[in-house]
Amino acid sequence: MPIQDQLAFALDRNDQEPNKLVAKQITNAGGIKEVKELISFIKSKPKQRAQSDAVLALAYVGELAPTLLSDEAPFLISQLNSSVNRVIFGSMIALAHIAHLTKGMLFDSLPQIIDAMDSGTVVTRDYGFRIMVTLYTDGKYKEDMFLLIQEQLMKAPSNQLGQYAERLMEVLNKDHLKPLIDTLEDRRNDVSNEHHIKRLNKNLKKLYKQL
């Protein structure tokens, strides 16, 4: 049976379990051939739901076995220009899972990634930020990435600010400790939800202790 016929859309399912099952089957078999079949299927421009299910299956493959997907980074980057939101965020999720294997290519593709983050869904932004933090962990890109990450922190919705700060704090270079504190302090007045205020204060307290 063709791999696309096992996806959720083909089974008239609205959940992700069929797509996850396809991904498990592919990874268990070391299925580079099946990955390429899914990509060929997406390139054939099927209906939107079929495209998005195929991309999300690839994202699950990336989560389970990133090496199976790393050679397909150029294709996934190209899908950030899709007109289908689920294709965009599925591609960003997949790229986040393989970012540690494709740092150079993703660094060169930051304009496309940031454009997709700025105009996309919450999921697109979240996984784009994960990509940026992964690139930050590489010494070659650390300084450039910190400046770009600061920009994202300054314009991030207040309900996402805490989780973004925490993700960066896990890998933060001490040279960037004070600039991060300053950025979060600048955002303080933008945060009005009590839960998010507590989260921001908790993060700042941790950071100040490291000064």
Side-chain angles (χ1 to χ4, degrees):
M1 180 186 296
I3 195 76
Q4 63 267 23
D5 290 348
Q6 302 173 52
L7 297 171
F9 81 94
L11 303 177
D12 199 24
R13 294 269 295 269
N14 292 320
D15 62 295
Q16 287 298 309
E17 287 308 311
N19 302 332
K20 291 179 180 179
L21 183 58
V22 165
K24 288 179 183 177
Q25 290 171 348
I26 290 173
T27 55
N28 287 342
I32 292 176
K33 175 177 173 287
E34 286 80 4
V35 166
K36 293 189 179 299
E37 283 181 16
L38 280 177
I39 289 173
S40 295
F41 176 65
I42 297 164
K43 287 179 176 178
S44 73
K45 297 293 183 184
K47 291 182 179 180
Q48 290 186 4
R49 188 178 167 203
Q51 286 185 54
S52 59
D53 279 339
V55 170
L56 288 166
L58 289 175
Y60 292 126
V61 170
E63 181 179 10
L64 296 170
T67 54
L68 281 180
L69 205 58
S70 58
D71 287 345
E72 308 303 338
F75 171 76
L76 294 167
I77 292 166
S78 75
Q79 296 305 293
L80 297 178
N81 297 320
S82 172
S83 60
V84 183
N85 272 335
R86 292 179 82 231
V87 169
I88 296 169
F89 73 65
S91 299
M92 193 73 86
I93 293 170
L95 288 168
H97 288 316
I98 65 173
H100 62 294
L101 302 173
T102 56
K103 290 178 184 175
M105 185 177 299
L106 292 182
F107 183 79
D108 291 341
S109 301
L110 279 171
Q112 297 101 299
I113 291 170
I114 292 172
D115 282 349
M117 291 171 66
D118 289 346
S119 61
T121 64
V122 171
V123 176
T124 302
R125 182 184 290 274
D126 287 353
Y127 280 88
F129 193 83
R130 292 189 189 198
I131 291 170
M132 297 178 80
V133 171
T134 298
L135 294 178
Y136 172 81
T137 63
D138 191 307
K140 290 184 293 185
Y141 310 124
K142 190 173 292 291
E143 294 302 323
D144 288 335
M145 289 312 306
F146 184 71
L147 294 176
L148 292 172
I149 286 170
Q150 277 187 303
E151 290 178 7
Q152 289 298 318
L153 290 173
M154 287 302 298
K155 62 186 178 184
S158 60
N159 63 339
Q160 293 170 274
L161 183 62
Q163 63 168 305
Y164 288 178
E166 288 159 11
R167 188 167 293 278
L168 178 61
M169 286 163 61
E170 291 176 0
V171 295
L172 188 68
N173 185 289
K174 286 194 174 181
D175 292 342
H176 298 143
L177 184 60
K178 183 60 166 61
L180 177 58
I181 290 172
D182 292 342
T183 298
L184 295 180
E185 289 285 10
D186 286 344
R187 289 296 314 274
R188 186 185 287 277
N189 291 336
D190 300 331
V191 183
S192 56
N193 178 278
E194 184 177 350
H195 170 74
H196 296 136
I197 290 171
K198 287 180 179 179
R199 190 172 187 176
L200 176 61
N201 288 338
K202 183 178 179 181
N203 292 337
L204 280 167
K205 186 177 180 179
K206 287 181 180 178
L207 291 166
Y208 277 120
K209 282 184 177 180
Q210 297 177 52
L211 282 176

